[in-house]
């Protein structure tokens, strides 16, 4: 493949019911930084039905061009219509890079698309950079998260990568940014559509989003059981925080997966992250090390979490948590 023909960084602007997902804005921020290095344009791919009014938002967050595909076939995400539409764009526009959020939609779309256009895909990247030769350096955890691997896709284009929500930082919106919006029409082959959405039933569970919390009180195996987590909840209530957890407590059935921090959970960056009874395994640290201020409480003074923490307290959390709650609640 003549890779030199390929230019510009495309970002899949995932929207759900017309709401642009945060991860798309985060990827636009990263794409801008990469585009500065490679001297290319950032192009947002906005697919859906009656969503063109979202284009300006994408420009404000870093897109130079928005390619908008508006079609009833794209109203709800299903694999085949979205794959057909983006494959056509890739074949016409020949982007050098395509970034996709590693959401449930992105994880479905990315592999199908990369196979359709005959290129590679690096999933769940945690860092992206441009090499001296101009290739995309895609870094992701490998071997169970015990080392970081940097992957290069030298011979095929686009260089495709999925990135988990919360990993990249979105740029602040700049309403004065200028960009162009182009409407692209796509010819679908409905004979290949395998799935038809008949009805959408929303889960009524009240899901918490720990990625939005300003203060997180996280508990690990040292907290031990639901009784231990009740102590963390009292502390959280006193300082308006959310409770999260390590995977050990999710695997033990004490906490739900939506509250798990780490490589196979969520990536968080609150103002303050408390780590109670968490040892600091690399897979946990990968999800919280960008927090502004990390306070670790562990009875083992050699626990690895202290290497990541800004403030460390060596002691028994079962004594410290009630004391802290009492002190912070006292008027
Ligand atoms: C592919 C893969 C993906 C993974 N993904 C994740 C992930 O997303 N998130 C994640 O968290 N893990 C993940 N893990 C698991 C990870 O490797 C660790 O096993 C896990 O993080 C350990 O959880 P922990 O720190 O709560 O438990 P432990 O490692 O058992 O640590 C418990 C800590 O509590 C301290 N402690 C005990 N009692 C007290 C007390 N009374 N007071 C104070 N301190 C006390 C101990 O000193 C110890 O440091 C993953 C592993 C693999 C292989």
């Amino acid at each position: 493949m003549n890779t030199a023909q390929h230019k510009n960084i495309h970002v899949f602007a995932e929207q759900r019911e017309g709401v642009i997902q945060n991860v798309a804005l985060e990827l636009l921020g990263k794409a801008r930084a990469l585009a500065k290095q490679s001297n290319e344009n950032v192009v947002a791919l906005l697919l859906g039905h009656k969503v063109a009014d979202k284009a300006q938002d994408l420009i404000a967050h870093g897109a130079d061009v928005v390619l908008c595909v508006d079609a009833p076939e794209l109203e709800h995400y299903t694999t085949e219509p979205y794959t057909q539409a983006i494959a056509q764009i890739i074949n016409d526009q020949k982007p050098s890079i395509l970034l996709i959020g590693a959401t449930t939609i992105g994880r479905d779309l990315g592999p199908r698309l990369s196979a359709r256009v005959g290129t590679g895909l690096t999933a769940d990247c945690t860092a992206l950079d441009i090499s001296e030769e101009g290739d995309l350096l895609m870094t992701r955890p490998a071997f169970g998260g015990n080392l970081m691997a940097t992957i290069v896709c030298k011979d095929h284009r686009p260089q495709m990568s999925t990135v988990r929500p919360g990993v990249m930082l979105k740029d602040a919106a700049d309403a004065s940014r200028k960009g162009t919006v182009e409407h692209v029409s796509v010819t679908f082959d409905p004979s290949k559509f395998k799935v038809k959405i008949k009805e959408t039933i929303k889960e009524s569970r009240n899901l918490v989003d720990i990625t939005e919390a300003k203060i997180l009180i996280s508990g690990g195996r040292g907290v031990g059981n639901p009784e231990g987590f009740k102590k963390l909840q009292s502390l959280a209530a006193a300082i308006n925080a959310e409770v999260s957890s390590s995977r050990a407590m999710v695997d033990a059935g004490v906490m739900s997966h939506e509250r798990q921090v780490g490589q196979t959970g969520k990536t968080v960056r609150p103002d303050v992250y408390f780590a109670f009874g968490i040892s600091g395994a690399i897979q946990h640290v990968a999800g919280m090390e960008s927090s502004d201020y990390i306070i670790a409480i562990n009875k083992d003074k050699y626990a690895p979490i202290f290497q990541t923490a800004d403030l460390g307290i060596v002691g028994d959390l079962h004594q410290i948590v009630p004391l802290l709650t009492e002190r912070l609640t006292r008027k």
Side-chain angles (χ1 to χ4, degrees), residues 144 220-222 246-248 260-265 277-281 283-284 297-300 303 315-318:
R221 209 189 310 265
S246 73
R247 176 161 152 182
Q260 181 186 317
V261 172
Q263 188 189 319
T264 43
I278 293 177
S279 59
Q283 297 91 351
H284 184 82
I297 296 89
N298 200 300
K299 66 177 184 186
D300 173 9
D316 181 353
L317 70 92
H318 295 289

Side-chain angles (χ1 to χ4, degrees), residues 196-214:
K196 207 173 188 167
I197 303 237
K198 288 189 155 177
E199 195 187 353
T200 310
I201 301 167
K202 289 210 173 133
E203 213 169 6
S204 58
R205 262 192 318 152
N206 244 344
L207 292 179
V208 281
D209 186 1
I210 56 168
T211 64
E212 297 288 325
K214 294 265 178 259

Side-chain angles (χ1 to χ4, degrees), residues 119-308:
T119 187
L121 169 75
T122 307
D124 275 357
C125 292
T126 52
L128 297 170
D129 206 348
I130 303 282
S131 72
E132 280 178 13
E133 296 80 33
D135 293 317
L136 183 65
L137 301 173
M138 300 173 274
T139 302
R140 56 153 297 150
F143 294 105
N146 289 312
L147 60 86
M148 302 303 277
T150 298
I151 294 160
V152 183
C153 176
K154 275 207 163 298
D155 301 324
H156 295 90
R157 293 291 183 268
Q159 304 159 92
M160 280 181 63
S161 162
T162 61
V163 178
R164 292 175 50 184
V167 172
M168 304 297 172
L169 270 183
K170 71 175 170 192
D171 290 343
D174 174 359
S176 67
R177 271 199 94 241
K178 296 269 178 285
T180 53
V181 182
E182 293 172 26
H183 290 271
V184 178
S185 76
V186 163
T187 316
F188 291 104
D189 174 2
S191 71
K192 298 224 164 64
F193 293 179
K194 301 276 189 281
V195 175
K196 207 173 188 167
I197 303 237
K198 288 189 155 177
E199 195 187 353
T200 310
I201 301 167
K202 289 210 173 133
E203 213 169 6
S204 58
R205 262 192 318 152
N206 244 344
L207 292 179
V208 281
D209 186 1
I210 56 168
T211 64
E212 297 288 325
K214 294 265 178 259
I215 309 176
L216 273 179
I217 310 269
S218 216
R221 209 189 310 265
V223 176
N225 52 31
E227 282 310 304
F229 271 92
K230 275 193 189 146
K231 291 180 195 150
L232 297 198
Q233 269 144 13
S234 304
L235 174 58
I239 54 174
N240 199 17
E242 277 295 345
V243 176
S244 53
S245 125
S246 73
R247 176 161 152 182
M249 287 290 91
V250 175
D251 289 349
V254 175
M255 295 296 281
S256 61
H257 183 255
E258 72 196 14
R259 291 185 189 263
Q260 181 186 317
V261 172
Q263 188 189 319
T264 43
K266 298 218 167 109
T267 304
V268 297
R269 49 174 95 231
D271 296 342
V272 186
Y273 186 90
F274 286 89
F276 285 101
I278 293 177
S279 59
I282 184 169
Q283 297 91 351
H284 184 82
V285 170
M288 47 63 83
E289 62 193 340
S290 302
S291 305
D292 276 355
Y293 199 79
I294 298 168
I295 303 173
I297 296 89
N298 200 300
K299 66 177 184 186
D300 173 9
K301 68 175 176 180
Y302 298 111
I305 191 73
F306 288 131
Q307 287 163 25
T308 312

